[in-house]
Amino acid sequence: MTDELQEKIIWQNINSSKEKGKILNGKIIAIEVEKMKGNDITCAIVDFKGIKILIPATEITNDSKNDKKLLRNMMGAEIKFIIVEVDRVSEKTVGSRLKALQRLQEINIKKVEVGDIIYAKIIGVWKKYIRIECLGMDFIIKAQDLQYGYIDDVSKKYKVNEQIKVIIKEISAEDKTIKISVKDLLEDPFKNIRKDFTEKGEYLATITGYTDNGIFANIAQGVDTVCTLPTWLDRPPFPGEKVIIKIYKIVPEKRKIYSSLVKIMGSDANEW
């Protein structure tokens, strides 16, 4: 296929999107401020097969404003959009992600039922939550709703464009909305917690963060303990370090395990 023919096909797709609402796909590669109708508009720059598509920040999500904060965390995301304006002379092509989502939502909500397990795509990652696209709808999933246990930084575990499983919890045909869950697909590690851990037992753990009175330490997938530090300790353990902790109280109904630090692995400090 010649370059000329390939470019012709690309523009046919763009024009089809403008005239017939065809949904296109592209990747957010930059953020620029463009002059539109006399106003400075913050835009996501989307690469569509080598053609620069401008999508105003306000056309990316329902809750976005004319600023760069949201777009920075969506950089690299592959998104769907519909062309709303084409000017071959100035080579300015404007799209809308919201219009594409609206069409997808109307189509896809009829295809699913409560209890269905489907894949959603991560389109934005922050420290404490992710934004996912599912059936033409965006959802904010907070760290505590992604998995059991403590997550210090969501962006270290999840990446833009990754697929994530969700289960459909509710469907409102009238409002054309759904409720989904990531966490409900996971087994609750506290269900049989006393079979896996005992009070006065000592366990290898990994430091995950700090509290006002001590540290968080992970002792199993989805199981964290609030660990107090001994007075003899010359320094607190660092996130990621291996330690030995001693459990002194398990409270399953509150999903709490209390412990104390026994030893920092590899440290010469006195042991408790």
Side-chain angles (χ1 to χ4, degrees):
M1 183 183 297
T2 64
D3 291 344
E4 184 178 351
L5 178 58
Q6 188 172 4
E7 185 177 357
K8 183 178 180 180
I9 293 172
I10 291 170
W11 280 103
Q12 283 177 345
N13 279 301
I14 290 174
N15 289 327
S16 179
S17 180
K18 171 66 169 59
E19 300 300 328
K20 300 179 181 179
K22 180 178 181 178
I23 296 174
L24 306 179
N25 294 276
K27 179 184 288 188
I28 298 177
I29 59 170
I31 304 168
E32 294 180 0
V33 177
E34 294 284 338
K35 188 71 75 174
M36 294 184 179
K37 297 179 180 179
N39 297 315
D40 290 333
I41 304 298
T42 300
C43 295
I45 304 303
V46 175
D47 175 37
F48 175 67
K49 302 181 185 299
I51 302 298
K52 176 180 175 180
I53 310 295
L54 308 176
I55 303 183
T58 51
E59 289 294 320
I60 291 289
T61 68
N62 283 316
D63 58 346
S64 61
K65 300 177 182 179
N66 187 33
D67 61 40
K68 302 175 182 178
K69 293 180 181 179
L70 173 69
L71 300 182
R72 287 171 181 158
N73 292 83
M74 292 181 65
M75 190 70 77
E78 295 173 357
I79 64 170
K80 300 175 178 66
F81 58 92
I82 288 175
I83 301 298
V84 296
E85 182 182 331
V86 178
D87 187 341
R88 290 294 297 270
V89 176
S90 64
E91 295 188 345
K92 182 176 287 187
T93 305
V94 181
S96 169
R97 177 172 179 264
L98 287 180
K99 290 187 181 299
L101 293 187
Q102 184 179 2
R103 287 199 61 194
L104 289 169
Q105 183 179 1
E106 291 172 352
I107 296 169
N108 290 328
I109 200 168
K110 301 172 184 177
K111 299 179 180 179
V112 294
E113 298 178 353
V114 172
D116 283 354
I117 299 172
I118 58 177
Y119 280 97
K121 184 168 72 173
I122 299 173
I123 59 167
V125 180
W126 285 256
K127 185 174 182 179
K128 295 299 181 183
Y129 62 90
I130 61 173
R131 179 185 288 269
I132 65 174
E133 179 187 317
C134 180
L135 302 177
M137 289 164 271
D138 281 357
F139 297 87
I140 299 295
I141 311 294
K142 296 180 180 179
Q144 62 266 29
D145 297 320
L146 284 166
Q147 66 177 48
Y148 291 100
Y150 176 75
I151 306 179
D152 177 55
D153 189 344
V154 170
S155 65
K156 293 180 180 178
K157 185 175 178 62
Y158 299 92
K159 302 300 177 186
V160 167
N161 295 324
E162 284 183 348
Q163 299 285 318
I164 186 169
K165 275 186 180 180
V166 302
I167 183 170
I168 297 176
K169 302 290 290 181
E170 294 181 23
I171 299 176
S172 174
E174 183 179 349
D175 298 330
K176 296 180 181 178
T177 59
I178 61 172
K179 289 186 179 180
I180 61 173
S181 173
V182 175
K183 199 172 180 179
D184 283 2
L185 289 171
L186 307 176
E187 184 177 354
D188 185 353
F190 271 82
K191 187 176 181 180
N192 299 301
I193 196 69
R194 289 191 181 277
K195 290 184 178 180
D196 298 322
F197 301 98
T198 61
E199 292 169 351
K200 297 183 180 180
E202 297 185 9
Y203 302 91
L204 182 66
T206 303
I207 302 305
T208 56
Y210 298 100
T211 72
D212 293 338
N213 300 315
I215 55 175
F216 285 118
N218 179 257
I219 53 178
Q221 177 62 48
V223 182
D224 293 290
T225 174
V226 179
C227 184
T228 57
L229 302 177
T231 56
W232 51 258
L233 199 65
D234 57 354
R235 68 163 179 86
F238 304 124
E241 273 195 301
K242 300 292 184 181
V243 298
I244 296 175
I245 58 94
K246 182 176 182 178
I247 293 175
Y248 61 83
K249 190 174 184 181
I250 300 174
V251 190
E253 62 273 16
K254 293 186 177 180
R255 308 181 64 80
K256 297 287 187 181
I257 296 179
Y258 298 95
S259 63
S260 56
L261 182 71
V262 173
K263 178 179 175 63
I264 301 174
M265 300 300 290
S267 171
D268 294 329
N270 294 327
E271 298 178 20
W272 179 74

